[in-house]
Amino acid sequence: MNNNPITNFTYLIENDYSNIAGIAISKNGSMVFEQYFHEYTKDDALHVASVTKSIVSALIGIAVDKGYVKNIEQKVLEFFPDYTIKRGEKTIQNVTIKNLLTMTAPFKYKSEPYTKVYSSDDWVKAALDLLGGKSDIGEFKYTTVGINILSGILTNATGQSVINFATENLFKPLGIKEPNNAFIQNKEDYLAFLKDKYVTGWMADPKGVNTAGWGLTLTLRDMMKIGQLYLNGGLWDGKQILSSKWIDDSTSEKSRWGELSYGYLWWIVDDGYAALGDGGNIIFINPKKKIVVTIASRFMPRAKDRIELIRKHIMPLFDRIV
């Protein structure tokens, strides 16, 4: 260790955070730190896990902005006219898009049936089959498989695949390379996707519908662009990509899980908000200080808390930089 705080910070990451692939930090729209670790480079994409949820939140916002979706109070089943409700099932009829965005939709399971859903031919239908039950609408229930219903809504509302809609309306305007569809055939493929050092694409079901709760790969710079877009109120190169109202609504408290606040598939933390993904992937935005922090990480169980890393080490160090 030495007297250079940046060098000390880099040493900390290299030695105490073995799965971090890269960290980028911007302030006032300018990159003040960008470094890669463990042989990763700026061109390498990683699976960002549940950060995918926050990207899909942006896509729902764009669909609302463009009129494909009237509003998020619309009932989920309006987008699936051919879906047959099970006999005696009533709760599902009242679930709205907003319930999915705020994790307040009820589901018929205690623990998420990943294998059951991802071994089916239609992951959206499998998620719809799990929607409803005896729980009350409005209670916070975090779900990954259930959020796949939003992919079905985007597909049916826009008439485009999720990947094409995202490319046309979000990725291409931001200069993010269009991902390819990625597929899994079995549990081994799924585990390989999570654990492989180099992965690309956006996971899709056998029908080609991309996942909404996980499965997207992005580079560190891609993540930074998403964060900067939100910090800019949806404006990019003079063009309004996403309405500022949607961003404000998405990043203010709409539901709670214990002491944690939740917006529209964004977590509300400290003086800002964050997209959080398993393994320690994060897009963190502090609007007051105009700071964006992005961390790309390889999957590992029980990764060290990135919010704590930002709070204890990153903000005190980079907040002083003009």
Side-chain angles (χ1 to χ4, degrees), residues 25-256:
I25 302 162
S26 75
K27 185 170 184 183
N28 296 318
S30 298
M31 197 83 82
V32 294
F33 182 87
E34 181 183 14
Q35 189 151 342
Y36 297 87
F37 306 89
H38 310 298
E39 300 179 347
Y40 282 95
T41 73
K42 64 180 177 62
D43 299 316
D44 293 323
L46 286 92
H47 174 220
V48 296
S50 287
V51 170
T52 307
K53 294 179 173 74
S54 302
I55 306 300
V56 168
S57 172
L59 297 180
I60 292 290
I62 292 170
V64 171
D65 290 344
K66 291 184 174 293
Y68 293 111
V69 173
K70 294 176 186 175
N71 59 70
I72 60 171
E73 300 294 346
Q74 280 187 266
K75 303 290 196 298
V76 166
L77 290 186
E78 290 181 35
F79 298 89
F80 305 98
D82 297 331
Y83 181 76
T84 302
I85 303 172
K86 289 182 173 59
R87 192 172 183 178
E89 178 64 67
K90 295 181 179 180
T91 306
I92 187 175
Q93 300 178 52
N94 295 314
V95 176
T96 65
I97 297 174
K98 186 176 181 179
N99 292 134
L100 293 174
L101 290 170
T102 58
M103 296 291 180
T104 57
F107 287 91
K108 307 167 189 170
Y109 58 77
K110 290 185 178 179
S111 59
E112 297 207 58
Y114 294 107
T115 302
K116 180 180 180 180
V117 172
Y118 300 141
S119 62
S120 70
D121 293 331
D122 186 336
W123 297 355
V124 175
K125 182 182 182 299
L128 283 168
D129 288 343
L130 294 168
L131 186 61
K134 297 180 180 179
S135 299
D136 293 332
I137 295 174
E139 294 180 5
F140 192 97
K141 186 180 181 72
Y142 189 83
T143 180
T144 293
V145 296
I147 291 302
N148 229 59
I149 295 168
L150 289 175
S151 290
I153 290 172
L154 280 170
T155 300
N156 292 344
T158 66
Q160 293 180 269
S161 67
V162 174
I163 213 166
N164 286 347
F165 183 76
T167 297
E168 180 182 323
N169 296 285
L170 182 64
F171 295 156
K172 190 174 181 180
L174 297 186
I176 295 173
K177 183 181 178 182
E178 177 183 0
N180 58 288
N181 280 327
F183 298 94
I184 54 174
Q185 303 294 325
N186 48 48
K187 186 176 181 180
E188 288 70 30
D189 288 350
Y190 170 69
L191 293 175
F193 182 77
L194 294 183
K195 295 179 180 180
D196 284 356
K197 185 171 184 179
Y198 299 106
V199 289
T200 59
W202 192 343
M203 195 60 63
D205 73 3
K207 291 182 175 292
V209 179
N210 300 98
T211 48
W214 65 289
L216 175 62
T217 65
L218 294 170
T219 69
L220 184 68
R221 289 187 176 184
D222 294 339
M223 297 167 72
M224 175 56 73
K225 288 175 179 179
I226 298 293
Q228 201 65 51
L229 176 71
Y230 269 66
L231 181 64
N232 294 346
L235 198 65
W236 190 268
D237 284 342
K239 184 179 179 182
Q240 198 73 39
I241 306 298
L242 182 60
S243 70
S244 59
K245 182 182 186 305
W246 179 263
I247 291 176
D248 291 341
D249 288 345
S250 299
T251 58
S252 59
E253 183 180 315
K254 296 295 186 296
S255 56
R256 289 188 70 83

